[in-house]
Amino acid sequence: MVDAGGRGSRSPVWLDRLGYEPAPEEQVRVDVTYVTRTYRREPDQLEGLLGALTNATPALPRGGIVAVQEGDRFAVAISGMLGEEPPHDDEEMVRYAETLAAPQIGALIRSAVPVSPPVRMRFPASLRRRYERLRRFPDGYLVVGDALCSFNPIYGQGMTVAALQALLLRNLLAAGGTRLARRFFQGAARVIDGPWSISVGTDLRFPAVPGRRTPKVRFVNAYVERVHAGAAGDPELGAAFLRVLNLIDPPTRLLAPRTVWRVLRSRRSRRRRSVVAPAA
């Protein structure tokens, strides 16, 4: 039996009733609200692009994403963290989107034709259940996907991580052997570690998000902030970050010499611009 019941998984309750100890849990409260709507894509909209993305920051806890879809459509999701709630009224959605760090999202939906009603969702906290740390687990039972680890949805990692777990399970079954649950949970933990670190580390930039900020987390967040700033004027940096965020490349790719050089060059360029006095 496989529990793929998502964030509402009942596995902790069932295992408790069967006399198994509870799995250790890690939780990061983010209080995200997001509104999603689908629009008709006209020939001149998002030409040559797959979409656009802007993440929330401590200074502006709002974000948005545009994703091109099949059938000449695109989806827009606008979000707020820590109690910041995006509206779902037509005009108010546009005004909210125009306040984002990428105001192009607001300009896009102001002229776009909606093909679905707006849908609001709330996500209180990221949650990871560490079944790999249990000494006992029932035979013939597994927990996968959001039931195992539920990510902050604004980073779009949950479905990819679930797919990687499915591939892991397929490979383990093909290889055969005993103690499938232990081998699966240990492998799944390795699959989850990278994206969990990215998601949680990024959320811990917000002072109001509770959690331990280790020196490693502080260093990574400071560096990623510089990557974000540089990506605003450097498409190669932006592409490198999105490849890591979408789990195409490992996080270490952002520390490749060429990427570090572009981050430092971008920072020096911004500093030079900031000291140039305006003309009299």
Side-chain angles (χ1 to χ4, degrees), residues 48-61:
L49 298 176
L50 294 177
L53 168 71
T54 178
N55 282 329
T57 66
L60 183 66

